[in-house]
Each structure stands twice: as structure tokens, then as C-alpha cells.
Amino acid sequence: MITNKRYQTLLMHATTGKPLSKDATEEEKKFYEECKHDYKVMHETAKKHGMKNPILEIPMEVDF
């Protein structure tokens, strides 16, 4: 299971083009590749609709 904090880190790496760490699990690798793809598609779609600076984010969890 990937923690929310790790999801945030993986998302940041995928959207900024930073490489994935070599010790990443298969689940993390899959999420990283999905994020890279989603980020690319998001920008293509935003461009078609005339949107500037779209943001791909994961909402933070709230601890009670």
C-alpha cells in the first residue's frame, strides 16, 4: 500500500520529469507511469479547451 505522502512525492516526480527511485515497488512504478500519462493527457485536453496552467493533484488526507 502506498501512503498519501508517497503518492504526493510520486506525483511530483511524474509531473516535473524527475526519475523514479531505483528501489520503487511495482505498485509505485505503475502509479508513476499512470501519473506521467495522465499529466500528458491533461495538458493536451486543457490546450484543446483553451485552459492555461492545469494542475494535477491528490487531495491531502485529514487526520482526526
Side-chain angles (χ1 to χ4, degrees), residues 6-64:
R6 184 66 178 154
Y7 273 120
Q8 294 287 343
T9 303
L10 293 169
L11 177 62
M12 185 225 19
H13 283 281
T15 58
T16 59
K18 292 184 179 180
L20 186 60
S21 62
K22 294 180 181 183
D23 64 339
T25 65
E26 286 302 316
E27 185 180 14
E28 291 173 340
K29 289 176 186 177
K30 182 179 177 191
F31 178 76
Y32 176 79
E33 291 302 322
E34 289 173 353
C35 279
K36 284 186 1 182
H37 176 264
D38 291 348
Y39 191 69
K40 179 181 174 187
V41 170
M42 177 189 68
H43 275 277
E44 291 170 356
T45 303
K47 187 175 180 180
K48 288 179 187 177
H49 293 283
M51 297 169 65
K52 296 181 180 177
N53 302 322
I55 298 172
L56 182 64
E57 64 182 5
I58 298 171
M60 296 295 290
E61 291 180 357
V62 178
D63 294 329
F64 292 99

